[in-house]
Amino acid sequence: MLKLGLVRDIDLALHLPLRYEDETRITLLKNAREGDTVQIEATVTACEVQQRPRRMLKVTVDDGSATCVLTFFSFYASQQKAMAVGSRWRIRGEVKGGFWGRQMLHPTCKAAGGELPQALTPIYPVAAGLPQAYVRRAIATALQRVQLPETLPRDAQPPIANYWDENGLKPLPSLRDALLFLHNPSPDVALSTLEDRSHPAWQRLKAEELLAQQLSQYQARQVRASLRAPALQVPPSPAGQPSLVEQLRAALPFALTAAQERVCREIAADMARTQPMHRLLQGDVGSGKTVVAAMSAMVCIAAGWQCALMAPTEILAEQHFAKLVGWLEPLLVPMGKKVAWLSGAQRKKERAAMLELVASGEAALVVGTHAVIQEQVQFHNLALAVIDEQHRFGVAQRLALRGKLAHAGLEPHLLMMSATPIPRTLAMSYYADLDVSVIDELPPGRTPIVTRVLPDSRKDELIQRLAAQLAQGRQVYWVCPLIEESESLDLSNATATHAELSAALPGVLVGLLHSRMSAAEKKAVMEMFASGQMGLLVATTVIEVGVDVPNASLMVIEHAERFGLSQLHQLRGRVGRGAVASACVLLYSVGESGRLSDSGKERLRAMAETNDGFEIARRDLEIRGPGEFLGARQSGAAMLRFADLDQDMALLEWARALAPRMLARFPQQAQQHIERWLGNKADYLKA
Ligand code: ADP
Ligand code: MG
C-alpha cells in the first residue's frame, strides 16, 4: 500500500473506487444482452483444452435458461480440474453474442452459493501487481479503525444543491457516512450520481477537501504574517543627491510606463515592511517585467542587502544577467559591489570565484539558473529573491529558495514573475496566499503582432516572402516543435529544417539552436542573432521563455497544432518588441488523419483572434483544465483530487468564506481538518 502512497488510515479511507461492479444479483443468461456485464450461476456441462488456433481452456456452462462458453487463454491445470463437469460456479463477465452462441472471455469465477453482497463492489485504482482483494481488505480495515470526528462547525454546513428525497431535503452526510457509502454503495443508488460526483456523499468530500485547501492557505498567510523579514528602506541620500533607485531610473534607456511605476511602488511598499513579501508580478509577454525586477533589486541593494534572481533556462538567465549588469553595475562599482553569475554549466574555477563573491557580500545581486539554490551557495545577507517565469519552477525549488534566506531568523522577500495570468478560480483556490501585481499596459511604440494561420502546403511560398523580409534587414525566428517521444527525432527534424532553409535562402546566415547544444554553443548562437549578424534562427522550443531580441519581427511556428496555447502565446511574444510591424505565422499540418483535431483548431483560432494574454489564459484553461494549467507534475501534491473548480464554485466560495472564521473560532478543529486532508503535504501548498 505504500506503493500507492497510502500510509495512514485516513489515506486509505480517502482512496476511493474508480468504479463499481454490481455483484448483488444473479442474472439469467437468457436475459443478458450482448455487451452486458453480468453475474450468473451455472453448472459446467463440458470442459476441454483446445490447441488450435492456440492453447485455451473452453468451459461450457448451463444455468437452466441458456448456455454460455467461457474461454481462458491462460489457466492453471488446477483450474481445469476444478471446473469439472457438474461443478457449479458463480461467474461474472461480459456477455458476447456471436455465431457460436453466448461467450465470456476470462470471466471471474468463484464457487456457487454463499450470500450475495449487499453493496456494489468497489474497484480501486491499484499499482501493478496489487490484487483488488488485498486493497479492499486494507481499506475496509482502515475504515473501521479510522477516527473521523466532525470538524465542520455546526452552523457552517456547505451549500449542497438539489438533493432531495422522499423525506424532503436530505441532511448532509457525515464524513464517515459519506466514506462508508462511497466505498460500498447500496445497489439502488443511481450510478450516474456517483460518476458525475453529484451525490451528497461526493459533495461532502469535495466540500471537506476545498475547506482543507483554503484553511491551509489562510494558515500559510498567518504564518507568513508572524515571520520577520528585513525592512528594506532606501536610506535618505545626502542633500541634493538622488537615491540609488532614482539614479537607476534616470540611467534607464526608456521611461517606465505608468503600470511599471505602479507595480514598482507596490513591491517597494511590501519590502519596506518587516513581513516577508509573497507577491506575484503578472504581465503579458513583453510588458517589461525585467526592469521592474531591476528596480526592486536596487531598492534591496540600496538598503544594504543582497538580491538573487533566478530564471528557468541558461539562455534566459544569461540575458537577464547581461541586462542587469548593463543597468546596475555602473551604479554598483563605485560602491565596490558587483553582479554575480551562477549556472550549472559554469567551469569549476569560475563558479568558486562567484561563490566567494556571493558569500562575502561583494555580489549585491546574484543572477542564475537553478544553480542559485544549490546547497553550496551561501549568501551573505540575502533579502530579496526574484523568480522569473515562476510556473516553470517546481514547488520544491521555490521552497529551497526560501530556506536559503534565513538570516538571523529572518526570511527573504519573494517576488515571482509570470506572463501567464492566473484565472480567477485558480487565484481563489491555489493562490489565495499570494498578493498579485499586474502590469496591464505594454511599453509605448509597439505595433500589434499580426497572426496568420497557414497550412504547411504553403511553406515554399512563405519562404519566398521571408527572403524579401530578410533582404530588408528583418530577423526571423523559426520554431520547430518538440517531439515528445524522441529527443533525437526532434533534433533531426530541426537539423533538417535548418539545412532546408539554408539552401532556400542563399546569402542569409541561418542559425540553429536546440536543447542538446552546450551552454557555450547556445550562447554563441544567441549572440550572433542578438547582434543582427544572423538573419534567421531555427530553434526548438528552447527559445520559449523570455528571450529578448527587439529587432526580430517575424516568427514562424511549424506544426503549431502540436503546441499548447500558452506556449504559442509565449513564443509569439518573442516578436513585436520593437517599433516595426511584427507577424507570427502558425504553420499547421493535418498529418495522416487529413484533419486537425478540434482542440488543435480551437488553439489556432484563439491565437489568430487575440493577442491578449488574459484572454489566451482563459481559453487555455477552458481547453485544458486546471491540472495541466498548473503543471500537475510539479504541484501534484497540491492538486485537488475530488473537487473540480468549474463545477464546484459554490463549494469553493463556501470554503473560502469559512476558512478564516474557522481558524479564528475553532483553531483545533481547523488543525485537525488540515491534518486529515493534507498530512505533511500542507507545506507544498504554501510554496
Ligand atoms: P517580459 O515582461 O516579457 O519579461 P521584458 O522585461 O523582456 O518583458 O521587456 C520586453 C522589452 O521591452 C525589453 O526589450 C525591454 O527592454 C523593453 N521595455 C521594458 N520596459 C520598457 C519601457 N517602459 N519602455 C520601452 N521599452 C521597455
Ligand atoms: Mg521575461
Side-chain angles (χ1 to χ4, degrees):
M1 301 313 280
L2 286 177
K3 240 197 260 173
L4 291 170
L6 306 176
V7 183
R8 308 169 304 163
D9 283 340
I10 181 70
D11 299 331
L12 281 158
L14 292 175
H15 191 64
L16 292 184
L18 276 178
R19 58 190 173 82
Y20 303 93
E21 282 180 356
D22 188 351
E23 295 180 334
T24 60
R25 60 191 132 209
I26 303 283
T27 306
L28 282 180
L29 267 173
K30 69 166 189 206
N31 295 335
R33 279 164 314 174
E34 157 107 40
D36 282 355
T37 296
V38 296
Q39 179 167 254
I40 58 169
E41 257 185 26
T43 307
V44 176
T45 55
C47 175
E48 58 172 0
V49 175
Q50 284 183 7
Q51 300 297 344
R52 260 169 249 281
R54 51 186 276 207
R55 190 174 144 80
M56 58 183 137
L57 178 66
K58 288 253 179 202
V59 181
T60 310
V61 296
D62 187 336
D63 74 347
S65 76
T67 62
C68 179
V69 177
L70 319 179
T71 307
F72 302 88
F73 289 114
S74 59
F75 57 94
Y76 296 105
S78 57
Q79 186 181 356
Q80 182 189 350
K81 214 158 129 199
M83 298 203 90
V85 172
S87 59
R88 266 184 78 72
W89 297 88
R90 189 171 286 170
I91 299 155
R92 192 188 151 74
E94 188 184 336
V95 178
K96 292 282 183 202
F99 185 69
W100 301 106
R102 290 187 184 79
Q103 304 217 23
M104 285 188 193
L105 189 63
H106 278 266
T108 48
C109 306
K110 49 189 171 202
E115 266 178 50
L116 287 170
Q118 299 292 305
L120 300 179
T121 309
I123 307 295
Y124 292 102
V126 292
L130 208 56
Q132 282 289 333
Y134 179 80
V135 178
R136 262 179 224 147
R137 254 196 324 272
I139 289 176
T141 314
L143 274 174
Q144 278 173 5
R145 225 175 13 210
V146 69
Q147 298 287 317
L148 295 169
E150 181 61 79
T151 46
L152 299 192
R154 200 164 309 147
D155 60 351
Q157 299 294 300
I160 289 189
N162 307 328
Y163 190 70
W164 299 78
D165 70 359
E166 63 277 14
N167 305 320
L169 190 60
K170 251 219 152 59
L172 183 73
S174 69
L175 179 62
R176 166 176 293 282
D177 289 345
L179 285 173
L180 285 175
F181 177 80
L182 291 174
H183 283 288
N184 298 95
S186 49
D188 54 1
V189 67
L191 272 176
S192 67
T193 63
L194 296 183
E195 269 152 27
D196 70 9
R197 303 189 171 182
S198 62
H199 191 280
W202 268 114
Q203 299 276 331
R204 167 81 201 208
L205 248 74
K206 298 202 267 194
E208 288 230 348
E209 178 180 47
L210 287 165
L211 180 62
Q213 186 203 40
Q214 293 297 314
L215 284 171
S216 114
Q217 299 254 332
Y218 275 100
Q219 208 178 34
R221 193 176 268 271
Q222 286 180 337
V223 169
R224 201 179 318 282
S226 71
L227 294 174
R228 287 290 157 262
L232 304 177
Q233 251 142 3
V234 180
S237 26
Q241 281 276 328
S243 73
L244 274 172
V245 178
E246 290 315 315
Q247 289 179 43
L248 173 60
R249 190 194 311 272
L252 289 173
F254 44 74
L256 296 183
T257 62
Q260 284 170 323
E261 290 286 5
R262 174 174 44 75
V263 300
C264 281
R265 279 197 302 275
E266 288 166 2
I267 294 164
D270 275 5
M271 295 194 301
R273 283 199 279 268
T274 55
Q275 215 181 82
M277 168 168 72
H278 194 228
R279 187 172 283 276
L280 177 71
L281 174 58
Q282 204 170 278
D284 208 346
V285 265
S287 62
K289 296 182 287 291
T290 319
V291 70
V292 173
M295 292 288 287
S296 311
M298 205 53 174
V299 170
C300 169
I301 295 165
W305 295 76
Q306 275 179 311
C307 171
L309 187 148
M310 190 161 82
T313 66
E314 291 269 336
I315 290 186
L316 185 54
E318 182 100 39
Q319 284 210 344
H320 283 336
F321 179 69
K323 239 179 209 170
L324 291 163
V325 166
W327 288 336
L328 298 183
E329 268 203 351
L331 301 170
L332 297 184
V333 170
M335 301 159 59
K337 304 255 172 181
K338 282 192 173 137
V339 182
W341 166 247
L342 279 177
S343 99
Q346 210 160 24
R347 293 224 176 76
K348 265 219 172 105
K349 217 166 143 198
E350 191 194 348
R351 184 171 167 79
M354 289 296 171
L355 287 177
E356 182 54 43
L357 285 181
V358 178
S360 70
E362 195 180 332
L365 173 62
V366 186
V367 180
T369 57
H370 302 79
V372 170
I373 48 169
Q374 256 139 35
E375 253 172 63
Q376 314 93 296
V377 186
Q378 293 288 330
F379 288 92
H380 175 66
N381 64 350
L382 185 58
L384 170 64
V386 182
I387 304 183
D388 194 17
E389 308 290 346
Q390 63 94 22
H391 59 287
R392 305 262 306 207
F393 286 96
V395 175
Q397 288 159 336
R398 290 199 300 250
L399 281 176
L401 189 51
R402 279 182 47 203
K404 276 269 167 241
L405 312 176
H407 173 86
L410 293 175
E411 285 263 326
H413 295 285
L414 191 56
L415 177 63
M416 293 166 269
M417 307 203 289
S418 175
T420 313
I422 303 174
R424 198 176 90 90
T425 45
L426 294 191
M428 281 174 64
S429 55
Y430 291 97
Y431 298 103
D433 177 36
L434 199 62
D435 298 308
V436 179
S437 288
V438 182
I439 307 184
D440 51 6
E441 123 189 67
L442 291 179
R446 300 269 172 89
T447 42
I449 307 166
V450 176
T451 300
R452 288 264 178 286
V453 179
L454 281 188
D456 62 358
S457 54
R458 292 176 63 186
K459 194 158 142 186
D460 290 341
E461 186 188 326
L462 173 67
I463 295 173
Q464 290 320 307
R465 293 235 207 133
L466 288 186
Q469 300 282 345
L470 286 159
Q472 293 170 21
R474 297 176 72 175
Q475 287 180 281
V476 182
Y477 291 105
W478 187 291
V479 180
C480 304
L482 203 77
I483 298 168
E484 284 278 343
E485 303 78 44
S486 154
E487 209 184 325
S488 57
L489 211 61
D490 168 27
L491 187 58
S492 69
N493 184 43
T495 316
T497 304
H498 175 248
E500 181 190 350
L501 290 170
S502 301
L505 297 165
V508 176
L509 184 55
V510 179
L512 176 62
L513 196 66
H514 59 74
S515 51
R516 288 272 187 87
M517 286 162 59
S518 73
E521 288 170 315
K522 285 185 198 162
K523 185 173 166 191
V525 171
M526 262 337 275
E527 268 166 14
M528 285 214 282
F529 190 64
S531 70
Q533 295 170 55
M534 187 179 277
L536 193 153
L537 179 60
V538 176
T540 53
T541 42
V542 286
I543 62 157
E544 181 183 341
V545 285
V547 175
D548 186 37
V549 180
N551 190 46
S553 58
L554 279 166
M555 160 86 47
V556 179
I557 304 177
E558 225 180 326
H559 279 299
E561 77 283 355
R562 294 191 192 161
F563 290 88
L565 194 45
S566 61
Q567 216 179 2
L568 288 172
H569 181 65
Q570 290 261 340
L571 282 168
R572 176 170 62 183
R574 301 305 112 223
V575 296
R577 303 196 150 210
V580 278
S582 293
C584 173
V585 179
L586 304 175
L587 278 180
Y588 66 89
S589 157
V590 292
E592 277 163 19
S593 69
R595 53 184 288 274
L596 275 179
S597 71
D598 287 346
S599 70
K601 255 186 236 156
E602 260 179 80
R603 289 193 299 261
L604 296 182
R605 184 177 317 129
M607 285 294 290
E609 282 173 6
T610 180
N611 268 317
D612 175 356
F614 280 84
E615 178 61 17
I616 295 270
R618 197 185 60 70
R619 297 207 195 178
D620 200 23
L621 186 68
E622 249 172 45
I623 299 174
R624 294 195 302 167
E628 289 210 40
F629 194 94
L630 289 167
R633 269 166 306 178
Q634 288 185 350
S635 51
M639 291 303 297
L640 294 168
R641 292 157 61 191
F642 304 132
D644 171 328
L645 293 178
D646 272 345
Q647 273 175 28
D648 301 320
M649 203 55 195
L651 291 178
L652 175 59
E653 305 261 12
W654 164 81
R656 225 166 103 83
L658 177 57
R661 208 154 56 82
M662 189 165 160
L663 276 169
R665 281 176 46 206
F666 309 101
Q668 255 175 347
Q669 282 94 319
Q671 201 49 47
Q672 210 171 24
H673 192 87
I674 295 173
E675 287 280 314
R676 172 186 295 169
W677 278 89
L678 298 166
N680 53 7
K681 290 181 201 138
D683 255 5
Y684 274 83
L685 277 173
K686 296 175 195 158

